[in-house]
Amino acid sequence: MDRAALADFLRRRREALRPGDVGLPAGARRRAPGLRREEVAALAAMSADYYTRLEQQRGPQPSEQMLASLAIALRLSTDERNYLFQIAGRNAPSSVSAAAHVAPALLRVLDRLGDTPALILSNLGETLVQNRLAMALFGDRSGDTGLERSDIYRWFTRPGERLRYPEHDRERQSRAQVANLRAAYGSMGPSSRAGELVRALQKASAEFTALWERHEVGQRFHDHKVLLHPELGAIEVDCQVLFTEDQAQALLVLTAPPGSEGYEKLQLLAVIGQQDFAQA
């Protein structure tokens, strides 16, 4: 671990960012350039004291999970992320863990979407990053681990996951989940994480197995759907998506036409979400 290089790299990357780059208000009385240390710490879900000690060459060696969080918080490119791991004395992420590194271009767009639900998904349906409105609508997915991180896996193994959709639309959603996984399986291969997910679901769900045998393929994100919220009821939204060039990640944005009932409910969702976070 090169403490001096790590401290200098973190400081310079922090100072190169502006609040607007990460979706934060500029605020007043910013005497120094870039983000504050406590802002980076909050983005990386660590204590401000821990992050400060890293910049002061006093901190312990960060874990791989902590480094991955810092890479996202500081909006690092893939090369910058690998460099961060190296100077911290860790091996560069494997192809498996590297897949969870969020594309900086998608993050820059997400950071500017504070007034509507938006999230970044992997091609296996793993929620990589959510804004606050997406958390209020779908729940906080940051605590999920292993196969449970995949929306596809949870859809076929947790009956409660289907409650956010009207009953008449659940069959269509099941087919769409399998078609999305089929597309990922085709590009990643049977020995990949997609293959692992398929094999686990074939053991866990007869419904999945039957749909898998239909060989339907497609990344269907552009959609018009109704979502059920426990407090607001049915919310009618349009879904739009922006993919990375390799189709491995997608930014999903949910909107409703201004003046519509869905739009009004999304406005209320923002208020409910703020109250929930204040109570947390």
Side-chain angles (χ1 to χ4, degrees):
M1 177 179 176
D2 189 334
R3 293 182 181 275
L6 177 62
D8 190 55
F9 181 69
L10 292 175
R11 178 178 59 81
R12 290 183 181 275
R13 291 305 306 147
R14 174 174 61 82
E15 292 177 351
L17 290 171
R18 296 295 180 267
D21 296 333
V22 296
L24 296 175
R29 298 182 179 179
R30 285 187 175 267
R31 300 176 182 176
L35 299 181
R36 299 185 177 102
R37 286 172 174 170
E38 58 267 26
E39 290 171 334
V40 173
L43 290 169
M46 63 179 63
S47 72
D49 177 68
Y50 183 94
Y51 179 79
T52 297
R53 284 186 286 138
L54 289 178
E55 279 203 10
Q56 293 177 346
Q57 304 182 38
R58 299 187 294 113
Q61 183 183 31
S63 66
E64 292 183 1
Q65 181 179 1
M66 195 68 75
L67 292 170
S69 296
L70 280 170
I72 294 175
L74 294 170
R75 304 319 192 232
L76 301 185
S77 68
T78 301
D79 288 340
E80 289 170 333
R81 178 209 61 205
N82 291 345
Y83 177 72
L84 173 67
F85 272 71
Q86 290 165 1
I87 59 178
R90 302 289 185 184
N91 293 326
S94 66
S95 58
V96 173
S97 58
H101 180 66
V102 183
L106 293 188
L107 267 176
R108 287 194 292 270
V109 179
L110 177 68
D111 290 334
R112 286 158 174 77
L113 297 173
D115 60 349
T116 196
L119 59 159
I120 297 176
L121 300 166
S122 76
N123 57 354
L124 298 182
E126 301 156 324
T127 298
L128 304 179
V129 182
Q130 304 166 274
N131 67 9
R132 290 197 165 202
L133 279 178
M135 288 185 186
L137 185 58
F138 296 111
D140 185 357
R141 302 258 63 111
S142 61
D144 294 326
T145 59
L147 294 175
E148 295 283 338
R149 294 187 62 211
S150 170
D151 289 344
I152 306 168
Y153 184 82
R154 294 196 310 274
W155 180 266
F156 289 100
T157 60
R158 289 188 193 174
E161 288 290 308
R162 305 190 178 201
L163 296 180
R164 71 168 60 101
Y165 287 92
E167 187 173 358
H168 66 80
D169 194 36
R170 293 172 191 170
E171 181 180 355
R172 183 175 72 98
Q173 294 300 326
S174 292
R175 291 177 61 185
Q177 295 278 19
V178 177
N180 285 333
L181 180 54
R182 176 68 75 172
Y185 182 86
S187 63
M188 299 173 70
S191 60
S192 66
R193 292 188 304 129
E196 177 188 2
L197 185 55
V198 169
R199 290 186 290 274
L201 283 170
Q202 286 175 326
K203 293 179 180 179
S205 171
E207 178 193 8
F208 172 85
T209 300
L211 291 173
W212 184 254
E213 291 173 355
R214 297 173 68 160
H215 283 266
E216 294 179 337
V217 185
Q219 293 178 314
R220 186 191 58 77
F221 285 102
H222 297 82
D223 197 6
H224 181 83
K225 65 177 64 176
V226 175
L227 297 171
L228 303 180
H229 187 271
E231 295 182 53
L232 300 176
I235 306 177
E236 194 169 351
V237 295
D238 292 311
C239 305
Q240 297 294 324
V241 68
L242 177 64
F243 285 101
T244 53
E245 185 175 356
D246 61 3
Q247 306 283 297
Q249 295 180 12
L251 170 63
L252 181 64
V253 183
L254 306 178
T255 62
S260 67
E261 183 179 359
Y263 180 85
E264 297 299 329
K265 287 187 176 182
L266 289 180
Q267 300 300 301
L268 289 173
L269 182 68
V271 176
I272 292 173
Q274 290 173 352
Q275 292 174 346
D276 290 342
F277 280 109
Q279 295 169 1

